[in-house]
Amino acid sequence: MTEQFEPSKLVELHNVTKAYGPLTQRPQVVLEHINLTIRQHEFVSIVGPSGCGKSTMLRVMTGLTKPEDGEVYYHGKKIEQVCEAMSMVFQTFALFPWLNVQENVEIGLEGKPFSKEEKKKRVLDMVRVIGLEGYEEAYPRELSGGMKQRVGIARALVSEPEILLMDEPFSALDPLTSTHLREEVLHLWENPDLPPEAVVMVTHNVEEAVYMSDRIIVLTARPGTIAKEVKIDLPRPRDPRSPEIYKIVDDITGLIA
Amino acid sequence: MTIPRAQIGTVMGLLEVLHDFKGKVDLAKISEELRLELDDILPAVEAAKLLKLIQVSSGDLILTNEGTALLSKNISGRKKELNKMVSNLGEIKGIIDFIKKEHGNEVAKEDLLSFIRQEMPDVDAEQTFSWIVDWGRYSLLLRYDSNNQKIKLAKSPTTKST
């Protein structure tokens, strides 16, 4: 029997509709009839005009918020509560100012059944991998934006999530720093020893999405529906100024604008 | 002035942009591409020049062999390289010697500030201290604990480069 190899499905959204406000009155529909599958070894980006429900989609995926209609599945099982196998990186870093780098990263292991020593070991390993070695005792106020976001990424990765969700992770950084951090994140992604089986990134920056992703989900303005899925088969490292990239960026921008 | 006065991320980002442009590009072009004012790029340019990672020649930025080599390394390798580069900068050397000789590898922030004020009267000492701490931490040269306000020499990096 011949069967084509298909990477396993990690998360599935089936006909998801998300609305705010009571359904009996006039709800604000944020996402409508979303069907989406995230597979193993995929870097997926979600792009769309502001207010189209990009970030809400991440929240629905993790089970942080429930859809009004439709289902979310993780490994074929319906998600009923917050999914522990996913962790999130935030645009504004979301660090605790009174905790140092090491302690902020350790927050990612809260509630995990590891001994104190084991936690420390995992935290320090991740700190090293992410380039924060030397900053262990630094507090957020002593860090540049780029270093703060590294802490955010280390905290998300330390629990070895199966899926890494990133909500506009580079938007708060200056263009040079974001160029650098994007590169570092791609290096981490290519490292087979690191846990995430898939990355889902929300961004309003189409060039960034095209440069980094295997697949891009383009959402329409509110209520967000999927306008198009674009597969990007270009090998990495990609040249952000190549005509191929330009063309895809152009096409997607045309869909959004 | 031999203390880099730009964030490490911006210096590395600049090298990556240069690399994308095959190692040589006009400064004005970078400014246009990144939609950044020249004033926002110049600190990174100055720091990269100081570390000999780039050369500047009539408006063009050129990635040096050292710059290319640094980019080709992983994070630990970069820290190791930068450890060498940073510790060879004149003013940083002076500061390392100061910490070593006077204070048994550890010195209070106040003492280092006095040293900076005395040796570099033209600079903002607090700001300079922050740059020293930032580059010192990244390159695993110095450690600083803001709880007890002590800065000390780090043990030499044990990380492997690739």
Side-chain angles (χ1 to χ4, degrees), chain A residues 24 77 88 125 137 146 153 158 161 170 191 231 241:
Chain A
T24 48
K77 249 189 94 191
M88 183 102 82
D125 280 351
E137 63 261 45
I153 295 170
V158 73
F170 311 110
N191 181 345
K231 241 183 128 49
R241 286 159 193 87

Side-chain angles (χ1 to χ4, degrees), chain B residues 96-111:
Chain B
I96 292 172
D97 285 345
F98 172 72
I99 301 174
K100 245 187 212 163
K101 279 182 202 150
E102 309 274 322
H103 300 272
N105 291 349
E106 185 176 273
V107 64
K109 176 183 179 183
E110 266 318 308
D111 293 338

Side-chain angles (χ1 to χ4, degrees), chain A residues 144-198:
Chain A
S144 64
M147 287 297 160
K148 282 183 192 154
Q149 193 55 300
R150 282 178 200 254
V151 181
I153 295 170
R155 182 185 54 198
L157 288 179
V158 73
S159 60
E160 305 192 345
E162 192 169 19
I163 305 167
L164 179 68
L165 307 175
M166 300 198 287
D167 192 354
E168 299 274 10
F170 311 110
S171 318
L173 308 174
D174 70 88
L176 286 171
T177 303
S178 56
T179 300
H180 176 49
L181 206 53
R182 274 196 282 273
E183 222 51 60
E184 299 261 57
V185 166
L186 285 177
H187 275 301
L188 295 174
W189 171 238
E190 279 157 21
N191 181 345
D193 298 336
L194 281 174
E197 297 283 331

Side-chain angles (χ1 to χ4, degrees), chain A residues 66-206:
Chain A
K66 276 192 169 183
E68 270 55 49
D69 196 15
E71 292 91 38
V72 183
Y73 295 91
Y74 170 68
H75 282 282
K77 249 189 94 191
K78 200 170 159 181
I79 290 186
E80 304 282 2
Q81 52 191 349
V82 177
C83 181
E84 296 261 323
M86 303 184 211
S87 33
M88 183 102 82
V89 172
F90 303 91
Q91 175 175 5
T92 49
F93 323 127
L95 306 182
F96 294 97
W98 60 87
L99 298 181
N100 67 23
V101 166
Q102 190 174 331
E103 292 158 347
N104 263 293
V105 174
E106 199 178 320
I107 293 286
L109 289 177
E110 197 137 290
K112 300 281 173 193
F114 301 128
S115 68
K116 227 177 150 191
E117 292 73 37
E118 177 66 16
K119 280 188 179 176
K120 186 174 175 194
K121 186 185 168 295
R122 284 173 186 252
V123 167
L124 292 180
D125 280 351
M126 191 48 69
V127 159
R128 205 186 58 243
V129 165
I130 218 88
L132 285 166
E133 190 179 8
Y135 288 88
E136 290 85 349
E137 63 261 45
Y139 287 84
R141 64 172 181 276
E142 300 174 70
L143 301 176
S144 64
M147 287 297 160
K148 282 183 192 154
Q149 193 55 300
R150 282 178 200 254
V151 181
I153 295 170
R155 182 185 54 198
L157 288 179
V158 73
S159 60
E160 305 192 345
E162 192 169 19
I163 305 167
L164 179 68
L165 307 175
M166 300 198 287
D167 192 354
E168 299 274 10
F170 311 110
S171 318
L173 308 174
D174 70 88
L176 286 171
T177 303
S178 56
T179 300
H180 176 49
L181 206 53
R182 274 196 282 273
E183 222 51 60
E184 299 261 57
V185 166
L186 285 177
H187 275 301
L188 295 174
W189 171 238
E190 279 157 21
N191 181 345
D193 298 336
L194 281 174
E197 297 283 331
V199 175
V200 183
M201 176 172 81
V202 159
T203 177
H204 67 275
N205 182 335
V206 177

Side-chain angles (χ1 to χ4, degrees), chain B residues 4 11 15 32 49 65 73 83 85 94 120 130 134 145-146 154:
Chain B
V11 175
L15 299 186
E32 184 198 316
K49 216 166 76 178
N65 291 338
K73 295 193 187 308
N83 182 282
M85 292 173 184
M120 303 167 230
S130 299
D134 202 29
D145 184 341
S146 60

